[in-house]
Amino acid sequence: MSTLATTRATPSIWGGVIIIAGTIIGAGMFSLPVVMSGAWFFWSLLALGFTWFCMLHSGLMLLEANLNYRIGASFDTMTKDLLGKGWNVINGASVAFVLYILTYAYISASGSIIQHTLGEMAIAFPARMAGLLFALAVAFIVWLSTRAVSRMTAIVLGAKVITFFLTFGSLLGHVQPAVLFNAAEAHASYTPYLLMTLPFCLASFGYHGNVPSLMKYYGKDPRTIVRCLTGGTLIALGLYVVWLLATMGNIPRPGFIAIAQQGGNIDVLVGALSGVLHNRSLDLLLIVFSNFAVASSFLGVTLGLFDYLADLFGFDDSPQGRFKTVLLTFAPPMLGGLIWPNGFLYAIGYAGLAATVWAAIVPALLASASRKRFGSPHFRVWGGEGMIMLILLFGVGNAMVHLLSSFNLLPVYQ
Ligand SMILES: N[C@@H](Cc1ccccc1)C(=O)O
């Protein structure tokens, strides 16, 4: 994640916006229509809007604290200095956990989407094998060098943006109001299913590892970085709304029960959407887009995990050193993908649970501590203590929701 920013020559605001939007928009979005089918479209918009607001502001809080340190100082430096060793260990563990579980989710997702893609070409290929091979290819690129990752990401991200506009532009034309308004179910209840969507929204809006990278990229320029964070998160929000419109405007609400029962992985969702679209070229575009969306986050997140582990274990940058780090980065999630190829939805949920620590709770605590220590010489997030409390509540609330739903204490739409 961290190094994507350093390769562009002229820092225009778009570079930062694209880095942020590119990290945010990933596998998480494919979980949204399935987990939001209970709350359905309008309530889900509320959950998305609220999460967007909180995740943008937690990112700004991180920036506020980060601006008081040297350029290049990351999470680790700030939490150790402002919150102490204990928090630093908790924070580090949650970062590693999120990156690992996301890598697992991407392996599971890429396996399923490659299987689906090849299936469309009448080639039968097991998903486990596809996920494994794809992960090996990514591992090879990460092993080569950060530059290789950055170049691949630029290509994949470009393809993602182009196929996105083509796909969603035409998908919108297919929305059926009767399906979107769920006209078939007269007395449906939606609100009981609202809370459980939150951890998935949180995971889908995660990007916070990139805030220190933006400061490396632009220098201590809060105005520009604030614009990048706002622009990047807004693009993601807009895309998610269109994505919900496209899925919930085409697949009837009860149809999602079957999708969730089949594990809720990307291939099932894309398959269900193809089933109602009856449009060959759109179908193909959607498949191409899904492949690129997964691939770009996969590269970004595993690079982040790679850098993190290399730093933690002190492995050097020689081919052997990088090989050790790659092994540590990819072997555990690959093993998970082999044993349990269909845990995509669970993985995104757990990513939400752990990400709440370093993407909501810790940023709020950091901003609060850095205000006491430094004042805010460069930049201060608006809203004072109230805003800090809101982000803390959002973070703790998300963790509680996830725990409740893991113990089956929240209603599930089934
Ligand atoms: N938002 C990313 C996941 C992510 C979470 C937290 C940090 C970085 C990335 C996705 O949807 O795939």
Side-chain angles (χ1 to χ4, degrees):
M1 276 188 295
S2 54
T3 22
L4 300 181
T6 50
T7 50
R8 283 161 210 270
T10 44
S12 94
I13 198 165
W14 281 105
V17 169
I18 289 187
I19 287 165
I20 296 296
T23 313
I24 298 182
I25 301 158
M29 72 175 257
F30 291 94
S31 73
L32 293 179
V34 184
V35 298
M36 288 179 158
S37 54
W40 207 236
F41 185 64
F42 297 97
W43 286 105
S44 297
L45 284 190
L46 193 76
L48 272 182
F50 177 63
T51 307
W52 166 78
F53 181 87
C54 293
M55 292 295 266
L56 168 62
H57 284 83
S58 68
L60 294 176
M61 288 177 183
L62 210 53
L63 172 67
E64 178 179 334
N66 205 191
L67 283 165
N68 296 316
Y69 288 85
R70 68 180 163 79
I71 287 174
S74 71
F75 258 109
D76 197 61
T77 316
M78 291 190 287
T79 27
K80 216 184 282 164
D81 190 41
L82 285 171
L83 304 176
K85 258 216 166 106
W87 270 110
N88 194 36
V89 171
I90 296 174
N91 189 59
S94 78
V95 171
F97 183 81
V98 171
L99 297 180
Y100 264 127
I101 196 113
L102 282 178
T103 305
Y104 162 78
Y106 295 145
I107 291 174
S108 159
S110 61
S112 97
I113 194 66
I114 293 171
Q115 183 192 34
H116 183 83
T117 311
L118 293 175
E120 289 284 298
M121 297 187 252
I123 304 171
F125 203 81
R128 275 196 181 90
M129 196 61 180
L132 199 72
L133 290 179
F134 194 73
L136 278 178
V138 175
F140 178 68
I141 298 170
V142 173
W143 173 75
L144 272 181
S145 69
T146 302
R147 286 228 352 232
V149 177
S150 170
R151 283 206 187 129
M152 271 310 282
T153 311
I155 299 172
V156 173
L157 210 59
K160 177 162 144 183
V161 171
I162 296 169
T163 49
F164 167 76
F165 280 111
L166 292 172
T167 316
F168 290 85
S170 22
L171 266 181
L172 275 183
H174 282 257
V175 172
Q176 294 167 17
V179 175
L180 187 65
F181 290 100
N182 196 24
E185 291 181 280
H187 298 288
S189 67
Y190 303 108
T191 41
Y193 310 111
L194 185 58
L195 277 183
M196 59 85 72
T197 65
L198 285 177
F200 294 89
C201 289
L202 188 144
S204 305
F205 273 106
Y207 64 90
H208 296 61
N210 287 30
V211 174
S213 335
L214 283 192
M215 202 169 86
K216 254 191 193 166
Y217 188 36
Y218 290 108
K220 291 196 179 183
D221 179 359
R223 270 173 61 98
T224 307
I225 301 176
V226 169
R227 283 197 194 141
C228 292
L229 296 187
T230 314
T233 54
L234 269 178
I235 289 180
L237 177 66
L239 190 147
Y240 291 166
V241 172
V242 174
W243 172 235
L244 284 190
L245 260 175
T247 45
M248 295 181 175
N250 283 298
I251 306 171
R253 185 171 182 247
F256 282 96
I257 295 177
I259 298 178
Q261 270 166 359
Q262 292 169 60
N265 212 327
I266 298 188
D267 58 332
V268 190
L269 181 64
V270 170
L273 206 50
S274 316
V276 290
L277 289 177
H278 305 299
N279 181 333
R280 196 70 198 123
S281 53
L282 192 52
D283 203 20
L284 202 66
L285 267 178
L286 188 63
I287 289 175
V288 175
F289 169 75
S290 327
N291 278 296
F292 283 123
V294 173
S296 72
S297 307
F298 200 161
L299 282 162
V301 163
T302 48
L303 181 63
L305 183 57
F306 178 93
D307 285 343
Y308 181 82
L309 291 173
D311 187 41
L312 191 68
F313 291 100
F315 293 144
D316 61 24
D317 214 29
S318 67
Q320 293 88 336
R322 292 184 73 89
F323 184 73
K324 282 189 226 162
T325 321
V326 157
L327 209 60
L328 211 60
T329 309
F330 286 90
M334 270 162 114
L335 203 66
L338 271 181
I339 298 170
W340 202 29
N342 264 325
F344 175 69
L345 273 190
Y346 287 100
I348 299 290
Y350 277 103
L353 172 68
T356 195
V357 175
W358 58 283
I361 299 173
V362 167
L365 295 176
L366 282 177
S368 169
S370 102
R371 278 177 202 180
K372 284 187 195 109
R373 168 100 56 98
F374 306 104
S376 309
H378 302 279
F379 164 70
R380 177 178 283 214
V381 182
W382 70 285
E385 279 290 300
M387 188 63 83
I388 291 195
M389 280 310 293
L390 176 74
I391 303 302
L392 274 179
L393 261 170
F394 166 76
V396 175
N398 251 291
M400 276 166 46
V401 165
H402 190 269
L403 291 177
L404 284 178
S405 71
S406 340
F407 290 111
N408 292 325
L409 293 173
L410 284 182
V412 182
Y413 177 60
Q414 58 191 6

